[in-house]
Amino acid sequence: MSMHIGGLLTELVAPAAAALSAAGEARTVAPGRVALAAGQTVEFSGWLDALPLGYWGRFTMVNTVRLEVTSSAPVHVTVRVSDAQAICRDVVSGTSREGTFTATVDAGEAADGGWAWPVLTAESRAEVTEVSWRWVTDDVVPQPNSLAVAITTCDRKEACLRQLGVLAAAARDGGSLDGVLGRVILVDQGTKPVAESADFTRVMDSFGERLTVIRQQNLGGSGGFTRGLFEGLKDSRITHVALLDDDAVAQPEGLAHAWAFAQAARRPTLVGGHMFDAAAPTPLYRLGEVMDRTRFTRSSLPGTPMNTDLAHTSVSDHVWLGPAYSVDFQPWWMCLVPRAAVEAIGLPMPFFLKWDDVEFGLRAQAGGFASVVLPGAVVWQDSRVGKDAESGWQAYFLLRNRIVTALLNDTRPSVLVAEWMAVSLRHLAQLEPAAAAMRWAALKDVLHGPGWLHRDLGTVRERAADTARREIIAPHPVSAMTGSLSASARLLRRWSDLRAQYRAALPEATSTRRWEQTFTAAAVLQRRRSTWSIVVTSFHSLDMLTRH
């Protein structure tokens, strides 16, 4: 049985992204099928059209791929390929006979990079020619229904239901995820259960026994996705678990191709997808992410830009799209995690959110697992515009988890300390005392050692928010600054000792046994909230006191 690895897309979950494909130059007549006018030529070299042949040649056991074209009338087909330098050449050409045309392309020749795509020309004798095409390979036999999808959500019903609806439609007989999707794990950490929505029954009926819904306290993205991994891998059929943000709608065909790629990989590989903004659906956010080891921060692949608009663009138009890249880690808007990786390195760290995906990816890399972002596997995520994590309550998690990840990864602290102090000074200069106070709290918690791992996972979100609220009511910028300086000096002095402590705590913190204990505690949904008694000793104005 041939494994489907690419093909013509005509129904996008983000219709406004149609310019990422050349299919718009023709008229869609059915899913995956278009009509060409007499004599019309269409070159299917768009981002959602072309096969990333270099990735298949470099990272998988696939030796050859086959283009299969079907047409209602004779159509001339040329198979065009590019190399890692974006230099193009035609490798096969011919005309369909009795409605079919096939061509085989050697994937091994493209191990350094490059793409492959068809150029179709309808004959002038037929007024309209309907065509469809796909890429397949016979070199790998995938394990059927071996993909689980794990979605974690917190009070975003509409986005979550849309994601579930897209997956359910694609999992029906004949859909792009038929034979691919074995389980769907929905981890609901919100106060308004998705299962109580009117539209949820229809989704549940579509999935049947494949859908598992779990309600638990809000343990953040790390607790939600780890629960999805944990539950998905209980099924012995599952070889990979795809982590999907609830507001990052995946193109089902791309998800299926990522699964096929993971099944064909030479060694167990984390396979990611590319993120586009749902509000501006054609610019590519990043081609891939790596670590700047000096500054210990995430960065784009060297030589690749951010936010490049790929509308009406051929994959050969940009030289930086040519090579087949590996990356250091996968953001969890879409990431297929192999069972073998979890069994070898453990589950994610209990970070609540931020840097959990980075830490897990770096740990997997150190354990010998590859990481690849597959072109054509795409999600469209709700816009990030206006979501300033640096100055909101998430600032606490950004710094705390970054430092802990650095401690676990042989990072020299001097540059890192200088940078985080510069950021704290910037917050104070911009009159953002809450962000500076949360960063001070992060430094103090790191200094306390790894005892907070798991223990604070269910309460840390409220604690971070309370820290921000108190500082807004009664700012103490001088205290935050001097406290941060003192804490930073202590971190520098104790860096080696803290590194040893956090490394010693890592195996237990990422173990199935410890996470099971956390999930058991999180099953108690009614948790008593903290009650604060605030004594106002001073305030800047009557208006501020009234507002807060």
Side-chain angles (χ1 to χ4, degrees):
M1 180 179 177
S2 299
M3 184 169 69
H4 187 190
I5 61 173
L8 176 60
L9 290 178
T10 58
E11 292 186 332
L12 300 181
V13 296
L20 294 174
S21 168
E25 299 177 24
R27 178 171 57 86
T28 299
V29 293
R33 194 169 183 84
V34 296
L36 303 181
Q40 182 182 8
T41 296
V42 178
E43 183 171 355
F44 290 94
S45 61
W47 177 260
L48 294 179
D49 299 324
L51 179 74
L53 188 64
Y55 285 81
W56 288 92
R58 177 183 176 187
F59 297 107
T60 76
M61 298 178 288
V62 170
N63 296 314
T64 59
V65 299
R66 185 170 67 255
L67 174 68
E68 297 179 346
V69 180
T70 62
S71 62
S72 61
V75 60
H76 183 75
V77 182
T78 297
V79 179
R80 190 160 293 164
V81 300
S82 64
D83 61 17
Q85 287 74 45
I87 299 173
C88 301
R89 60 190 176 92
D90 297 342
V91 293
V92 180
S93 64
T95 302
S96 61
R97 295 183 178 181
E98 297 181 355
T100 62
F101 175 88
T102 62
T104 299
V105 178
D106 186 354
E109 293 183 2
D112 292 334
W115 302 71
W117 62 89
V119 183
L120 306 181
T121 301
E123 291 193 348
S124 57
R125 290 175 294 178
E127 185 176 342
V128 174
T129 301
E130 294 185 7
V131 296
S132 65
W133 55 269
R134 66 174 190 163
W135 291 98
V136 299
T137 183
D138 298 326
D139 294 342
V140 176
V141 179
Q143 185 173 332
N145 302 310
S146 59
L147 178 68
V149 170
I151 302 169
T152 184
T153 188
C154 185
D155 292 334
R156 290 195 285 202
K157 285 186 183 180
E158 291 184 4
C160 185
L161 286 171
R162 186 187 178 203
Q163 179 80 279
L164 290 170
V166 168
L167 294 173
R172 293 175 184 148
D173 290 346
S176 55
L177 294 177
D178 181 23
V180 174
L181 190 61
R183 295 286 304 281
V184 175
I185 313 296
L186 174 63
V187 182
D188 190 344
Q189 304 185 124
T191 58
K192 301 172 184 177
V194 174
E196 294 179 2
S197 303
D199 295 334
F200 185 77
T201 301
R202 185 173 66 253
V203 171
M204 186 170 59
D205 291 342
S206 296
F207 283 124
E209 294 182 354
R210 287 181 292 185
L211 176 63
T212 299
V213 180
I214 295 166
R215 291 270 292 128
Q216 67 180 26
Q217 293 175 19
N218 186 7
L219 304 181
S222 63
F225 282 128
T226 302
R227 185 66 183 271
L229 275 171
F230 174 74
E231 298 292 339
L233 294 176
K234 283 182 179 179
D235 188 332
S236 61
R237 300 175 304 159
I238 300 302
T239 61
H240 295 80
V241 178
L243 308 180
L244 287 181
D245 270 343
D246 56 359
D247 65 341
V249 181
Q251 185 67 35
E253 292 86 350
L255 182 59
H257 300 157
W259 167 81
F261 186 89
Q263 292 280 307
R266 297 181 190 276
R267 55 178 171 144
T269 299
L270 281 71
V271 182
H274 290 100
M275 193 269 281
F276 292 78
D277 191 324
T282 57
L284 173 65
Y285 172 59
R286 274 176 170 162
L287 188 62
E289 300 199 45
V290 294
M291 286 302 299
D292 179 337
R293 297 283 178 167
T294 301
R295 298 174 54 228
F296 205 77
T297 188
R298 53 204 302 167
S299 178
S300 297
L301 282 161
T304 66
M306 291 180 63
N307 299 315
T308 303
D309 194 349
L310 298 180
H312 306 294
T313 299
S314 171
V315 291
S316 62
D317 288 348
H318 298 292
V319 174
W320 52 270
L321 288 177
Y325 300 93
S326 61
V327 295
D328 289 341
F329 62 90
Q330 303 286 357
W332 285 350
W333 51 63
M334 176 181 170
C335 177
L336 275 67
V337 179
R339 174 186 290 275
V342 175
E343 291 176 345
I345 69 169
L347 291 162
M349 282 284 275
F351 277 175
F352 192 80
L353 52 72
K354 303 297 180 186
W355 282 83
D356 42 6
D357 50 0
V358 179
E359 189 283 324
F360 185 80
L362 294 178
R363 186 155 34 105
Q365 184 183 56
F369 297 92
S371 193
V372 176
V373 192
L374 182 67
V378 298
V379 299
W380 284 273
Q381 190 166 37
D382 285 353
S383 178
R384 296 184 171 189
V385 176
K387 299 178 181 179
D388 188 2
E390 284 280 359
S391 59
W393 58 267
Q394 298 179 28
Y396 168 86
F397 299 99
L398 280 169
L399 183 56
R400 185 197 68 176
N401 299 343
R402 180 185 179 193
I403 295 173
V404 173
T405 305
L407 286 165
L408 295 171
N409 283 274
D410 286 324
T411 302
R412 294 184 177 181
S414 53
V415 174
L416 187 57
V417 171
E419 182 173 291
W420 80 52
M421 286 307 305
V423 172
S424 293
L425 283 169
R426 186 191 71 207
H427 284 308
L428 292 174
Q430 294 175 345
L431 302 180
E432 296 171 343
M438 283 185 289
R439 294 173 68 81
W440 180 24
L443 293 172
K444 290 187 289 185
D445 283 353
V446 173
L447 280 166
H448 288 158
W452 53 266
L453 293 170
H454 283 282
R455 183 192 65 201
D456 297 349
L457 195 56
T459 58
V460 67
R461 163 68 174 87
E462 293 173 9
R463 188 157 57 85
D466 284 338
T467 299
R469 282 193 289 268
R470 289 197 304 274
E471 196 66 21
I472 291 171
I473 294 171
H476 296 86
V478 175
S479 296
M481 196 66 244
T482 56
S484 294
L485 283 169
S486 174
S488 297
R490 281 182 286 156
L491 263 171
L492 278 171
R493 289 196 302 270
R494 296 185 54 204
W495 190 264
S496 296
D497 174 53
L498 287 169
R499 178 170 56 197
Q501 289 185 40
Y502 280 97
R503 287 185 174 180
L506 177 69
E508 171 68 8
T510 59
S511 69
T512 299
R513 186 194 68 81
R514 187 63 185 89
W515 270 109
E516 277 189 287
Q517 294 175 353
T518 298
F519 297 145
T520 299
V524 182
L525 298 179
Q526 297 299 322
R527 187 177 67 249
R528 185 176 179 179
R529 293 177 59 87
S530 303
T531 301
W532 287 95
S533 297
I534 301 177
V535 178
V536 180
T537 57
S538 65
F539 55 90
H540 295 276
S541 69
L542 183 61
D543 176 65
M544 178 176 285
L545 180 62
T546 303
R547 280 189 289 119
H548 296 291

